[in-house]
Amino acid sequence: ASMAIERGINPKDIIGGVLMIVVGLFFAIWAKTHYNVGVPSRMGPGWFPLHLGYLLAILGVLITLPALFRKGGGLEHMQWRPMWWLSASVIGFALTVKWIGLVPAVMIQVWFSALGDTKLKAKGILILGGLTAFACHLIFYKGLDVQLPPFVWPF
């Protein structure tokens, strides 16, 4: 017996793909209108965000188009908890990094992100947060000389 492929719309991939297209085009247009893009031999500050925005939009199209023809679970099967906690983690990081420093802000971000997963326990979250904060400190503060202090006292 052969399996027939059912056609239908997959709303989760369509929503995700369209969001990628919108965000990618927004940043590409922003980079093009607010920064000097330059040419490949002399790249300006807008070169990377412009092309990264275009790449994100193209990936969004590659996700959206097949989703129009693939049967998938509806929005009632979508896992909302991880989406909300991951969004909260990014917002938490953005709101705290300036006032408490990179290391505690990364710990907060990892903690909020982990709340979206029901399998990770407190000990695992602390280990993951500590290792991630340490790696971010080495990469951004030491390696790339990004001016985000590891700690801001008092916090």
Side-chain angles (χ1 to χ4, degrees):
S2 65
M3 295 178 57
I5 297 175
E6 293 184 41
R7 293 179 64 142
I9 295 177
N10 187 336
K12 291 189 286 187
D13 285 349
I14 292 173
I15 292 169
V18 169
L19 284 174
M20 289 174 67
I21 294 167
V22 169
V23 170
L25 289 178
F26 171 80
F27 282 107
I29 293 168
W30 181 271
K32 185 136 179 113
T33 58
H34 289 81
Y35 298 109
N36 176 21
V37 176
V39 294
S41 61
R42 290 193 57 86
M43 296 177 194
W47 181 267
F48 185 71
L50 174 76
H51 290 89
L52 192 61
Y54 286 153
L55 179 63
L56 185 62
I58 290 168
L59 289 173
V61 169
L62 293 175
I63 289 171
T64 303
L65 287 179
L68 293 172
F69 304 102
R70 183 174 54 239
K71 180 89 171 153
L75 291 178
E76 66 275 1
H77 299 295
M78 190 164 179
Q79 294 182 5
W80 294 99
R81 178 184 169 143
M83 182 185 71
W84 293 118
W85 282 113
L86 287 174
S87 299
S89 76
V90 173
I91 292 168
F93 177 83
L95 292 176
T96 60
V97 70
K98 185 176 181 180
W99 291 279
I100 64 175
L102 180 66
V103 171
V106 168
M107 294 287 288
I108 288 170
Q109 184 173 22
V110 169
W111 186 266
F112 278 145
S113 297
L115 290 174
D117 182 9
T118 57
K119 297 175 189 137
L120 201 54
K121 303 294 182 222
K123 182 179 175 183
I125 294 170
L126 288 173
I127 292 170
L128 178 63
L131 291 174
T132 305
F134 181 70
C136 287
H137 172 70
L138 289 179
I139 293 168
F140 295 109
Y141 189 70
K142 297 287 186 189
L144 297 174
D145 200 28
V146 173
Q147 296 303 310
L148 286 173
F151 297 94
V152 175
W153 301 101
F155 69 101

